[in-house]
Amino acid sequence: MKDKTPLKIAFVSASNPEDKRLMSGSVYYMNRSLQKHCGNVYYIDPFNVLLKKFFQGFSYFTRFLFKKDYIFPSILLSKAYAHIIKRKLDGQNFDLIFAPFASIEMAFLKTEIPIIYVADATFALINDYYEGYASLLNLLKKEWEFLERSAIKKAALIMYSSEWAANSALIDYDADESKVNVIPFGANIEKIPPKNVVLEKKKSSCNLLFLGVDWERKGGNIAFETLLELEKFGIDAKLTVCGCVPPKEFSHKRMTVIPFLDKNEEKQFNELYDLFLGSDFLLLPTRSEAYGIVFCEANAFGLPVITTDTGGISSVITQGRNGFMLPMEANGIDYAKLIRKICLNDDLYFNLMRSSRETFEEKLNWDSWGISVSKVIAEYLDVKSKY
């Protein structure tokens, strides 16, 4: 692609790719990686102010009337999006449309421009997986299912972050296998520690980092139980909880709570950076996880991940290489036994630390993602040009 005119790519998303706070920063880093590896990227905003205010008001009304949410993904909004996007695309001569997490933006769009649809899950998966979806109206669930199926059918290429999501597209939505690709996402952080800094770290006694905004869904109670069990084993363990405040009953002299750190604010990011560097493990016994960007971030600092075999995590964590996944039924004793085994074997720990960093460098970064996306696009366009 170097010797050719750069591709002109329309980046279509309700999440502004210039805002690092949206979608945990994923659309921001996707946009940057596309610019670097794939072509010239132009943001196409599918919204206008009046439309947004209307649907916000409608959502408040349904929550008041039905005590359930009727949020943006709907047939009406999708049609409105399609009208706005179509008008903004006309006459622009784009080569591709890049549509991350954008089933609603794409479902009704009429265009001859090839669409690349990117996601970390399908609606069929998250509907029964995340508790928050139980509060949605059944009508909305049916609409969302329709929009997902329409976007998958319409896409020329589909890129998922995990095999878990890709398999759902194939099985639940009859996706064309030739369209579906698995390309892991990267770490959503600006400053990556140099490799020598990571590999020269000294292991502390056993510093555990629990990083998540939802104590219950991320398995906070299991992490706390793990701390207690390690103490019984005679391991000098500490647990730092960052991103949420545990319920009052979860309190311990060897547990520190940092309610929130905004990695988009320099001072707070530096605190988070030091927190990663000063930890020995990322402990996250999550109950549900479509992918887990935080695992990529932990591996950037050489932190092995101790987590759960659920959702799309197995496309991020390779057992025994950059962490370990325990079964859903595992409890704090199981986690503590595993961590004790690693802590008491310095060779095992440092080998795990090295391979965790290597895994980040090989695949869990946005440059690797962009290069892989570029190759898939080149192959697609090469085949397309022959017909």
Side-chain angles (χ1 to χ4, degrees):
M1 295 175 65
K2 288 184 178 179
D3 298 326
K4 299 178 181 178
T5 302
L7 294 174
K8 187 176 181 181
I9 303 171
F11 193 106
V12 179
S13 172
S15 297
N16 187 337
E18 296 300 322
D19 190 342
K20 288 192 286 186
R21 289 172 173 79
L22 299 176
M23 300 294 293
S24 299
S26 292
V27 291
Y28 170 83
Y29 287 97
M30 284 181 188
N31 179 51
R32 287 208 322 182
S33 188
L34 286 173
Q35 292 273 12
K36 183 176 180 180
H37 298 287
C38 300
N40 297 325
V41 183
Y42 304 84
Y43 178 46
I44 303 296
D45 184 356
F47 245 140
N48 62 42
V49 175
L50 290 176
L51 183 65
K52 187 172 184 177
K53 286 184 176 180
F54 171 77
F55 277 94
Q56 283 177 333
F58 191 67
S59 178
Y60 295 149
F61 171 75
T62 54
R63 192 179 301 119
F64 172 78
L65 191 63
F66 300 108
K67 308 304 180 185
K68 290 190 175 184
D69 291 332
Y70 188 99
I71 56 178
F72 285 174
S74 67
I75 301 296
L76 287 174
L77 184 57
S78 185
K79 289 182 176 180
Y81 273 163
H83 175 74
I84 295 169
I85 295 167
K86 178 71 166 58
R87 181 163 44 84
K88 292 183 178 182
L89 291 174
D90 283 348
Q92 295 270 18
N93 297 317
F94 287 109
D95 296 300
L96 295 167
I97 294 172
F98 184 83
F101 314 107
S103 57
I104 184 170
E105 290 93 326
M106 293 296 104
F108 286 96
L109 181 63
K110 294 180 180 179
T111 181
E112 297 298 318
I113 305 170
I115 297 169
I116 301 174
Y117 176 49
V118 181
D120 59 2
T122 66
F123 181 70
L125 290 174
I126 62 176
N127 183 37
D128 296 323
Y129 191 54
Y130 287 100
E131 288 186 4
Y133 286 81
S135 67
L136 299 179
L137 290 172
N138 286 333
L139 173 61
L140 177 57
K141 291 182 180 182
K142 291 178 180 178
E143 289 183 354
W144 212 334
E145 181 71 19
F146 171 81
L147 296 172
E148 184 78 73
R149 186 173 296 277
S150 298
I152 289 172
K153 184 177 181 180
K154 189 182 294 285
L157 291 171
I158 309 170
M159 299 176 181
Y160 290 108
S161 56
S162 70
E163 295 284 352
W164 176 68
N167 289 336
S168 174
L170 297 171
I171 296 168
D172 299 320
Y173 295 95
D174 303 312
D176 183 342
E177 189 173 358
S178 66
K179 296 180 179 182
V180 178
N181 303 269
V182 177
I183 306 177
F185 295 162
N188 291 347
I189 48 177
E190 292 284 354
K191 180 182 174 185
I192 305 296
K195 186 175 182 178
N196 67 298
V197 171
V198 170
L199 298 185
E200 290 170 5
K201 278 198 320 179
K202 303 296 183 184
K203 182 171 73 71
S204 64
S205 51
C206 185
N207 284 348
L208 309 173
L209 175 60
F210 176 93
L211 191 59
V213 297
D214 188 330
W215 172 261
E216 185 173 346
R217 182 172 73 80
K218 299 292 186 176
N221 57 328
I222 299 175
F224 183 79
E225 184 184 354
T226 301
L227 174 65
L228 300 184
E229 294 299 329
L230 284 169
E231 190 176 41
K232 292 178 185 177
F233 288 147
I235 301 296
D236 187 20
K238 297 178 183 178
L239 175 64
T240 300
V241 175
C242 181
C244 63
V245 178
K248 291 181 180 179
E249 62 266 28
F250 297 99
S251 178
H252 193 278
K253 63 183 179 180
R254 302 186 70 81
M255 184 174 84
T256 301
V257 177
I258 304 172
F260 180 73
L261 286 176
D262 183 354
K263 62 184 177 183
N264 298 306
E265 199 277 319
E266 185 177 5
K267 183 176 181 296
Q268 294 184 53
F269 172 76
N270 288 335
E271 291 181 49
L272 182 62
Y273 184 95
D274 291 340
L275 194 56
F276 271 123
L277 275 182
S279 299
D280 299 307
F281 298 92
L282 177 71
L283 174 61
L284 208 65
T286 183
R287 305 293 86 192
S288 54
E289 202 77 46
Y291 181 70
I293 292 289
V294 68
F295 303 142
C296 307
E297 296 169 350
N299 280 179
F301 290 81
L303 285 190
V305 174
I306 310 296
T307 187
T308 320
D309 189 2
T310 184
I313 292 177
S314 60
S315 288
V316 190
I317 303 302
T318 300
Q319 202 78 326
R321 176 165 171 76
N322 61 331
F324 289 90
M325 298 174 291
L326 276 67
M328 281 291 288
E329 60 270 21
N331 57 27
I333 297 175
D334 300 313
Y335 280 88
K337 286 179 178 178
L338 172 61
I339 293 170
R340 178 183 64 170
K341 177 184 175 181
I342 301 170
C343 275
L344 295 178
N345 186 330
D346 285 348
D347 287 341
L348 175 60
Y349 177 80
F350 283 109
N351 285 334
L352 192 57
M353 183 180 74
R354 279 191 289 271
S355 56
S356 294
R357 172 63 185 219
E358 287 170 2
T359 304
F360 162 76
E361 293 178 345
E362 290 166 5
K363 73 170 189 176
L364 300 181
N365 64 83
W366 285 109
D367 276 330
S368 294
W369 178 88
I371 292 167
S372 296
V373 169
S374 178
K375 289 178 180 177
V376 171
I377 290 174
E379 290 170 5
Y380 166 77
L381 293 177
D382 184 53
V383 171
K384 188 170 180 284
S385 68
K386 295 176 181 178
Y387 290 93

